[in-house]
Amino acid sequence: MPDPTTRPADDAREGAPRDRAVPAAPVPAVLPEPRPDPDGRRGPQGPYGAPHPAHSPDDRTGREDRTGREDRTGPYAPDGAGAPDTPRPPTDRLPRWRSVLAVVAHPDDESFALGALLDAFAADGATVSVLCLTHGEASTLHGVEGDLDRLRAEELAGAASVLGAGDVRLLAYPDGRLSATDPEELADRVEAVARETGPDGLLVFDPTGVTGHPDHAAATAAALRAADGLGLPVLGWTIPEAVAGRLRREHGAAFDGHPPEAVDLTVTVDRARQLKAVACHRSQAVPGSVLWRRLELLGDREHLRLLRPTGTATGAPSPR
């Protein structure tokens, strides 16, 4: 995600939320190329993985086991080394939810952070919905000309379509100020959308916010409060502390991670569609962004914490 300092609160932005249904939008024709691998060990996709295998929409028996693939440089490799210095954690399967609702703060969070996971759920036949609480209008990243309020709504529509999300809700709480919004109001909005979309579980950022942006933490707090009322399980996206530390040292970004023992699921993912979705966010996916380094360090793994184990959804995992 972009450095949280690039998303200052816009103190001039006031007013009640403006709910919007997000229309479909075309996918950009030009996609960013993955970084070439200097030693050629990772293949043509570099650190981002191989093409996604085909899945039947009715096949929810679990994701293909790809743990036999060649190991890669990633979060467990020491600085400047190409081999892991500690064993990889086991690769787990995502819960076999029939439907999932992602609750995020900004357009691009669904792609930059949760993209590979949402694609994995969709590939396994789950119905994917996205609730985004702000238009991200306070970002100072501006890769293309135009009004960010409008641009980022269009970018969200295109990216969500790529990831297989058929239902996208975009609210208009002030970007950078979610933490100042009544938490009960935010939770009520999340709960209302959850009742309409009927998810088996929620997918959110870790309560730390991961990137240090307070909006991420506020969105997750609202989702957890709603989940408590609905009895739904919640998975929180996180990154290993080893990766967070590297990003803090290399980019000065305020990332928070967790040690292996605090992570409940480590999932092998394919990033092909995630990268296509990222490319839809032309205003934010700019060269030099910490996003690219994070994806490189994570390789083909994503990490999740079971924030709420309650609920009777099919395939809901048990906490470690």
Side-chain angles (χ1 to χ4, degrees):
M1 304 300 301
D3 187 323
T5 60
T6 65
R7 292 183 191 269
D10 181 357
D11 292 331
R13 179 75 184 222
E14 297 287 355
R18 294 175 287 102
D19 299 0
R20 295 181 56 163
V22 180
V27 180
V30 179
L31 303 178
E33 292 293 331
R35 291 188 194 176
D37 183 51
D39 60 13
R41 292 188 302 112
R42 301 180 193 166
Q45 285 291 333
Y48 306 121
H52 205 350
H55 291 265
S56 164
D58 295 325
D59 179 11
R60 289 189 289 272
T61 59
R63 292 191 56 75
E64 177 187 358
D65 185 357
R66 287 178 273 173
T67 58
R69 292 169 57 184
E70 179 185 2
D71 203 2
R72 302 177 178 189
T73 303
Y76 303 99
D79 291 354
D85 60 344
T86 59
R88 293 266 189 176
T91 297
D92 300 300
R93 299 179 187 274
L94 288 171
R96 295 189 301 274
W97 292 346
R98 295 163 297 179
S99 59
V100 59
L101 172 64
V103 181
V104 297
H106 314 106
D108 78 21
D109 291 342
E110 84 298 328
S111 299
F112 289 15
L114 307 183
L117 294 166
L118 291 178
D119 173 51
F121 273 114
D124 281 345
T127 299
V128 175
S129 302
V130 175
L131 171 60
C132 182
L133 300 180
T134 82
H135 282 234
E137 72 282 351
S139 174
T140 57
L141 292 177
H142 214 309
V144 293
E145 293 297 325
D147 173 53
L148 280 180
D149 194 297
R150 176 186 60 81
L151 280 173
R152 300 198 69 183
E154 294 172 354
E155 291 169 351
L156 172 62
S161 178
V162 169
L163 295 173
D167 189 327
V168 183
R169 313 291 179 94
L170 179 60
L171 307 186
Y173 287 97
D175 182 16
R177 300 176 63 187
L178 280 184
S179 60
T181 303
D182 179 6
E184 184 173 355
E185 177 185 343
L186 288 178
D188 287 346
R189 303 303 290 273
V190 175
E191 182 172 341
V193 173
R195 289 187 182 280
E196 291 177 19
T197 58
D200 288 340
L202 305 184
L203 179 64
V204 300
F205 277 56
D206 186 77
T208 63
V210 183
T211 70
H213 197 306
D215 280 1
H216 295 162
T220 293
L224 290 174
R225 189 164 182 167
D228 288 340
L230 296 169
L232 287 173
V234 183
L235 286 175
W237 171 75
T238 187
I239 61 175
E241 175 54 33
V243 171
R246 291 280 290 271
L247 295 174
R248 290 193 296 266
R249 291 194 300 272
E250 296 176 5
H251 292 267
F255 278 85
D256 287 308
H258 288 284
E261 61 271 20
V263 173
D264 294 301
L265 296 174
T266 300
V267 182
T268 302
V269 295
D270 184 299
R271 297 202 186 275
R273 287 192 177 274
Q274 180 184 26
L275 288 173
K276 291 182 180 180
V278 166
C280 293
H281 292 280
R282 295 186 301 152
S283 69
Q284 305 299 300
V286 298
S289 170
V290 68
L291 162 71
W292 310 116
R293 180 57 170 152
R294 172 170 58 79
L295 292 180
E296 181 179 41
L297 290 171
L298 289 174
D300 63 357
R301 303 293 172 91
E302 288 290 6
H303 304 76
L304 295 159
R305 299 177 68 219
L306 185 55
L307 305 180
R308 291 291 187 273
T310 55
T312 57
T314 302
S318 299
R320 289 178 187 255

